[in-house]
Amino acid sequence: MKRITMGLSLLTMVMAVHAQDKSKPAGDSAKASKIMPYEKVITKDAVTRQGMFTVHLVDNKYYFEIPDSLLNRDILVVTRFVGTPELSGVYAGEKANERTIYFEKGPANKLFMRVDLFSVRVKDTTQALAKAVQASAVKPIAAAFDIKTTSPNGNMVIDVTDFFKKENGALSLDPEVKNDMKLGSPADDRTFISSVKAYPINVEVKTTRTYSTSGVAIPGAALSGFVTLDLNISMVLLPKEPMRKRLFDERVGYMANKFILFDEGAQATQEKYLIARYRLEPKPEDVERYKRGELVEPAKQIVYYIDPGTPKKWRPYLIAGVNDWQQAFEQAGFKNAIVAKEWPENDTTMSLEDARFSVIRYLASPIPNAYGPRISDPRSGEIIESHVGWYHNVMKLIHDWYMIQVGPNDPRARKMEFDDELMGDLIRFVSSHEIGHTIGLRHNMGASSQTPVEKLRDKAWVEANGHTVSIMDYARFNYVAQPEDNIGKAGLYPRIGAYDKWAVQWGYKQLFNTADEYEDSKILNKWIVDSLAANPRLWFGGEGKGEDPRSQSEDLGDNVMVANEYGIRNLKRVVPELVKWTAEDGDMDANLERMYKGVVRQYTRYLYHVMKYIGGQYVTAKSTEQAGNVYERIPRAKVKEAISFIGRNLMEPPLWLYDKHITARLKTNEMDEIATLQNNMLTTILNAGFMYNMMQKYADGEEAYTVTAYLSDVKKAMWKTPTGDAVKDIYYRNLQRMYVEKLIMAVNTAKPKEGRLLSNVERSDAHLYAITHLQQLKAELMLSNAPGAINQAHKAVMIKTIDKALKGDDK
């Protein structure tokens, strides 16, 4: 996932005063620049490179020679970092800006460069409505160039030296990037063009830019007050004929770009989205074979290159992670559709920053991450290239996941430095995941919910099918598997699954004999309806940010209560072994602390996976042809199961986390840490708004679940009565105090505050349920007889506290 969001916001630019067509020049009043003889501008000493534009270097000035045939042609401009300051948080290969521009002839011997946005479209350009749309979509003029001369064959020649040296909103750093890096004004005397190279469909410009900065986080900037960056600007000519568009459908997880559609046949505008995908088409001579269902090679293969800065021992695994996607593209009808290769280091015609080449860039970063962005043609969604960011410390991340989640199942995981084969396997899975993003796929956090928990422990089944149907889920490793299951690595690692193959088929399989993408969408809708009816496991669960508990990151199985019980069993095996597994000569317990914190995070994830079943609901996007509800209540039995899980695994204090061998070496505050987790959970579960939510969702029907019954189940699971055990009673008393405190807060919710009306939650019956539950607790406390003076004092204080709250409510 990329850390810096590269928006498409534009700096303030000169705007044309009237609507125009790309085929017509703008404006008519300006002082004409003087046209010089060609040989006076492009002298015999010129260094010339032929390409998309002919590029000339004359007396330290750079000139572009632009033919009429490239006027009004869309050009994708991508600015990337080539060199960055030490510890700056940005790295070579990362994107710094992206625009689509075109050149047009202006008045008075001017050549304009406009920025194209593509945010508004018309369904049929022959409609009268198209004129109104055009009049409301004037493209900003980002730059105006004097035409210095024309070549003997009529090409316009412009001086681009200052344009690339000086700051401009079209091709320099995105304003958001500049803000994040705290960059100020450029220093002209330390900003220069390093090289300009021309290729058949692109021009590559390398510059060095120095900025003043107020940032102190970058060591060099703090010392000097300046930041120097090496940048590469790729100008890539987009295809004259855009790829056939494919409209987004929320039931299949693709990256997509939004546009507003105007159509005379519709009575309102429509929000539409184009999915991002590579242009995979059969060769003309193979079209009929493709139609018959034969596998054919695409006219243009998807190729990823491995950064030569990548350690050699990891390159085969990164390559394998790319090539693993070949099986998915076969489901779309293409063989050998995607491949990875090592970068040809001796080929001087190729550049790592060239936007024609997709590269897995190895970033010397302490950040434990990787991400898979893509650059696409905004007209059609065609992916032009991708520079995957592979941070060195992603190995640290996957090491820790693997040891913590499946250490009890795989002896290879029980040390701080994995063998190359194991680490290579883990790199391969991350590579596949990130490449999935680069071919257009979003996360599918619901994929893991489509595997029954019992299958995760079935050696034959899980080794054959994998523990999740999509590598685009954050399913990580099979933490449900138990040591006695004897499951091998095929059943522990993620892999490209059934959903991934289906999604690639839906996005990439060619359609024939349809007029446009709107007709295509009818066929694609039928594919979804039929496929999901035949195999519900192909469900796309979204990014895991909604209220559906089936769609969560880092979870497994169709029942997380059962799955996470198994996960906790494995954590209970890991904790006593951590001191041994993390031992290295000379280590001052840094390894132990790191891995122990990872165990606590994993345990906490298990709790919150389950928590989402209390108060959430199932959300299944459907078209009108599909039976069933979009929104469904979670079955009452599942809610009760979740409440019971929290009671067993948190409200019963998890003292197993604080193994004496660990606490003897690390500073821990178990009482405070456990109380904080318990308090956070109870704050949610006994909140007045939560009760109100339960009232709305479970008021009637087969799954009716009253708030009284809900609170009764909560109390049964979470109200722990002191027993005389000196240690546990400390936790139980504290838990009871928290429990009563939350109920009193719910009671007080209904008290009006001066000058403010009550909300629906505050006005609801929630506080009445809290009152009756407090009354019940008081009655039970009065009948209880916990042993010991402290327990008796606690009981007296609790009764007094409840009395005060109830009397206060009557005033």
Side-chain angles (χ1 to χ4, degrees):
M1 180 179 292
K2 189 145 177 66
R3 295 166 295 100
I4 303 176
T5 302
M6 305 297 181
L8 293 179
S9 58
L10 295 174
L11 294 178
T12 304
M13 298 178 181
V14 181
M15 297 293 290
V17 295
H18 61 277
Q20 69 170 54
D21 187 288
K22 276 190 180 182
S23 62
K24 297 178 182 178
D28 58 5
S29 59
K31 185 177 180 180
S33 63
K34 185 178 179 181
I35 299 291
M36 302 281 289
Y38 185 77
E39 62 275 8
K40 294 289 187 182
V41 179
I42 310 302
T43 68
K44 60 182 177 60
D45 296 322
V47 178
T48 299
R49 292 177 180 270
Q50 302 290 338
M52 178 180 79
F53 302 144
T54 299
V55 176
H56 305 283
L57 173 59
V58 184
D59 294 333
N60 294 318
K61 289 187 176 183
Y62 287 94
Y63 295 89
F64 280 179
E65 190 172 309
I66 302 177
D68 283 348
S69 61
L70 292 186
L71 293 181
N72 304 309
R73 284 287 302 276
D74 286 308
I75 297 169
L76 185 65
V77 184
V78 181
T79 303
R80 291 192 183 279
F81 296 106
V82 178
T84 59
E86 187 175 5
L87 300 178
S88 63
V90 293
Y91 301 93
E94 293 188 314
K95 186 177 71 172
N97 200 346
E98 178 186 345
R99 298 285 185 264
T100 303
I101 59 120
Y102 63 90
F103 289 96
E104 70 174 16
K105 185 72 187 306
N109 294 324
K110 296 283 186 181
L111 192 68
F112 290 155
M113 188 186 82
R114 290 185 183 261
V115 175
D116 223 339
L117 302 178
F118 305 102
S119 54
V120 176
R121 307 181 189 222
V122 63
K123 188 171 184 179
D124 183 350
T125 56
T126 65
Q127 294 175 344
L129 179 60
K131 297 178 181 178
V133 172
Q134 183 182 320
S136 300
V138 177
K139 314 302 181 188
I141 300 174
F145 301 91
D146 290 335
I147 298 174
K148 298 296 185 182
T149 185
T150 57
S151 69
N153 57 0
N155 296 342
M156 291 162 285
V157 179
I158 60 174
D159 181 349
V160 295
T161 312
D162 285 345
F163 179 69
F164 286 110
K165 281 183 61 176
K166 297 184 182 297
E167 195 77 349
N168 66 80
L171 309 185
S172 299
L173 299 183
D174 188 282
E176 193 170 344
V177 177
K178 288 188 67 177
N179 182 64
D180 287 343
M181 296 184 72
K182 304 292 189 290
L183 301 183
S185 301
D188 289 343
D189 60 333
R190 283 157 283 176
T191 296
F192 54 89
I193 300 171
S194 305
S195 68
V196 182
K197 296 181 180 180
Y199 301 97
I201 64 165
N202 61 307
V203 173
E204 304 294 321
V205 181
K206 285 190 176 180
T207 67
T208 295
R209 305 187 69 81
T210 299
Y211 295 88
S212 63
T213 179
S214 59
V216 294
I218 303 173
L223 293 172
S224 67
F226 289 91
V227 168
T228 298
L229 301 167
D230 292 334
L231 302 172
N232 186 87
I233 301 167
S234 291
M235 305 180 71
V236 183
L237 184 66
L238 291 175
K240 193 168 188 177
E241 291 296 326
M243 178 186 72
R244 177 69 162 259
K245 307 175 189 70
R246 187 153 292 187
L247 296 177
F248 172 78
D249 190 300
E250 63 181 293
R251 294 166 293 177
V252 189
Y254 271 85
M255 308 290 183
N257 294 318
K258 175 184 172 182
F259 65 93
I260 304 297
L261 180 67
F262 287 84
D263 178 14
E264 284 189 0
Q267 297 183 5
T269 58
Q270 303 171 58
E271 286 187 1
K272 296 286 186 181
Y273 296 81
L274 293 180
I275 70 167
R277 59 182 184 141
Y278 278 99
R279 179 180 281 200
L280 274 193
E281 299 168 338
K283 299 170 186 175
E285 64 270 25
D286 289 336
V287 169
E288 293 306 315
R289 292 176 55 218
Y290 183 88
K291 289 180 179 179
R292 291 195 300 267
E294 296 180 38
L295 289 179
V296 301
E297 292 190 342
K300 183 180 180 182
Q301 190 180 46
I302 303 168
V303 180
Y304 288 85
Y305 291 97
I306 307 300
D307 186 338
T310 305
K312 290 186 178 180
K313 65 181 177 179
W314 304 134
R315 295 179 190 179
Y317 298 102
L318 288 167
I319 289 171
V322 176
N323 294 345
D324 284 343
W325 282 97
Q326 289 181 6
Q327 59 183 306
F329 283 102
E330 287 178 2
Q331 197 156 318
F334 297 100
K335 62 182 179 181
N336 302 320
I338 185 169
V339 68
K341 303 177 181 179
E342 294 205 33
W343 183 262
E345 296 186 54
N346 296 323
D347 189 341
T348 58
T349 67
M350 294 176 65
S351 166
L352 285 169
E353 285 70 41
D354 188 334
R356 293 178 300 161
F357 304 119
S358 294
V359 182
I360 299 178
R361 294 299 301 259
Y362 202 92
L363 309 179
S365 167
I367 296 170
N369 200 7
Y371 68 96
R374 72 228 58 79
I375 303 296
S376 58
D377 183 342
R379 305 169 305 169
S380 64
E382 177 185 353
I383 297 171
I384 303 300
E385 59 88 29
S386 173
H387 275 49
V388 177
W390 187 276
Y391 300 96
H392 181 75
N393 260 12
V394 74
M395 290 185 288
K396 176 181 178 181
L397 186 69
I398 54 183
H399 167 278
D400 294 1
W401 286 336
Y402 198 71
M403 177 187 282
I404 290 166
Q405 294 179 12
V406 297
N409 296 279
D410 189 347
R412 300 176 303 163
R414 300 168 189 171
K415 54 186 177 181
M416 293 305 296
E417 190 80 11
F418 286 172
D419 295 340
D420 287 354
E421 181 185 1
L422 173 55
M423 181 53 71
D425 286 346
L426 304 185
I427 285 172
R428 178 176 181 169
F429 118 71
V430 178
S431 173
S432 286
H433 176 93
E434 299 305 338
I435 291 300
H437 286 315
T438 69
I439 63 174
L441 298 181
R442 292 165 54 196
H443 290 126
N444 181 3
M445 298 306 189
S448 56
S449 71
Q450 300 305 300
T451 301
V453 173
E454 63 269 19
K455 294 299 183 184
L456 297 173
R457 297 192 60 194
D458 182 330
K459 177 178 172 63
W461 190 94
V462 77
E463 288 182 1
N465 298 282
H467 65 275
T468 175
V469 295
S470 176
I471 203 165
M472 302 313 297
D473 196 349
Y474 280 175
R476 312 308 185 191
F477 306 105
N478 184 0
Y479 61 74
V480 169
Q482 301 293 293
E484 61 268 26
D485 301 331
N486 297 310
I487 292 172
K489 64 181 186 180
L492 299 177
Y493 300 167
R495 70 180 78 171
I496 292 169
Y499 165 81
D500 305 311
K501 296 173 185 178
W502 148 243
V504 168
Q505 176 185 332
W506 184 89
Y508 282 88
K509 191 171 181 63
Q510 295 289 294
L511 294 172
F512 299 93
N513 303 318
T514 53
D516 54 28
E517 63 270 23
Y518 303 102
E519 278 194 24
D520 289 349
S521 66
K522 297 175 183 178
I523 296 172
L524 295 169
N525 173 63
K526 190 174 188 308
W527 285 3
I528 295 172
V529 173
D530 292 347
S531 296
L532 287 174
N535 185 3
R537 297 183 74 218
L538 301 178
W539 175 64
F540 173 65
E543 298 278 356
K545 298 175 182 177
E547 58 184 324
D548 192 329
R550 299 171 300 174
S551 181
Q552 300 191 68
S553 65
E554 320 287 348
D555 66 333
L556 290 181
D558 63 347
N559 186 324
V560 298
M561 281 68 76
V562 176
N564 291 1
E565 287 280 8
Y566 286 126
I568 288 175
R569 280 192 205 176
N570 275 333
L571 290 184
K572 288 178 178 179
R573 295 180 176 108
V574 170
V575 169
E577 303 296 331
L578 272 186
V579 173
K580 182 170 67 175
W581 291 359
T582 59
E584 287 184 316
D585 290 346
D587 177 54
M588 302 294 291
D589 292 325
N591 290 341
L592 178 62
E593 182 177 20
R594 165 181 145 194
M595 298 310 302
Y596 177 67
K597 287 181 177 178
V599 168
V600 173
R601 283 193 296 271
Q602 188 70 24
Y603 163 74
T604 305
R605 284 192 197 104
Y606 292 153
L607 296 176
Y608 282 96
H609 289 160
V610 170
M611 181 63 204
K612 205 167 180 180
Y613 273 87
I614 310 173
Q617 63 180 332
Y618 296 146
V619 184
T620 308
K622 295 182 178 182
S623 63
T624 54
E625 301 93 338
Q626 293 175 279
N629 298 323
V630 173
Y631 295 94
E632 295 179 277
R633 292 183 292 193
I634 295 170
R636 180 178 55 200
K638 286 274 191 187
V639 180
K640 293 162 75 75
E641 190 179 358
I643 293 169
S644 178
F645 179 98
I646 300 296
R648 288 192 311 277
N649 292 294
L650 176 60
M651 301 310 167
E652 188 64 43
L655 299 177
W656 59 268
L657 264 176
Y658 301 90
D659 183 273
K660 63 181 181 180
H661 298 97
I662 294 175
T663 58
R665 304 186 73 89
L666 301 179
K667 182 180 179 181
T668 59
N669 299 292
E670 56 258 44
M671 194 171 292
D672 186 60
E673 291 167 8
I674 290 172
T676 297
L677 275 174
Q678 291 175 334
N679 183 66
N680 291 344
M681 198 66 72
L682 286 176
T683 297
T684 300
I685 290 172
L686 295 176
N687 181 275
F690 206 81
M691 296 182 206
Y692 182 59
N693 184 39
M694 296 294 290
M695 277 186 265
Q696 294 188 86
K697 287 181 178 171
Y698 292 93
D700 55 18
E702 291 183 8
E703 294 297 334
Y705 190 26
T706 65
V707 177
T708 299
Y710 165 73
L711 290 175
S712 176
D713 288 335
V714 169
K715 178 182 170 296
K716 181 179 178 181
M718 304 188 190
W719 178 269
K720 306 295 182 181
T721 302
T723 62
D725 183 309
V727 175
K728 284 193 174 182
D729 281 0
I730 295 172
Y731 289 94
Y732 291 164
R733 288 191 296 268
N734 194 41
L735 182 59
Q736 286 190 356
R737 284 189 282 268
M738 284 189 282
Y739 194 99
V740 169
E741 171 194 321
K742 307 308 173 190
L743 287 168
I744 291 173
M745 290 172 66
V747 169
N748 292 336
T749 298
K751 292 183 179 179
K753 296 177 178 59
E754 187 175 348
R756 186 177 69 82
L757 295 175
L758 295 178
S759 68
N760 288 338
V761 172
E762 294 164 333
R763 197 182 297 113
S764 74
D765 287 343
H767 73 290
L768 300 179
Y769 287 107
I771 289 170
T772 57
H773 197 61
L774 278 172
Q775 291 169 338
Q776 177 189 345
L777 284 175
K778 176 187 171 183
E780 292 180 7
L781 280 167
M782 293 179 70
L783 295 173
S784 67
N785 190 27
I790 292 294
N791 285 332
Q792 290 301 313
H794 164 73
K795 169 184 169 179
V797 170
M798 292 292 289
I799 292 172
K800 184 177 179 180
T801 301
I802 293 172
D803 271 341
K804 182 178 178 182
L806 294 175
K807 289 176 182 177
D809 187 68
D810 294 335
K811 290 182 181 179

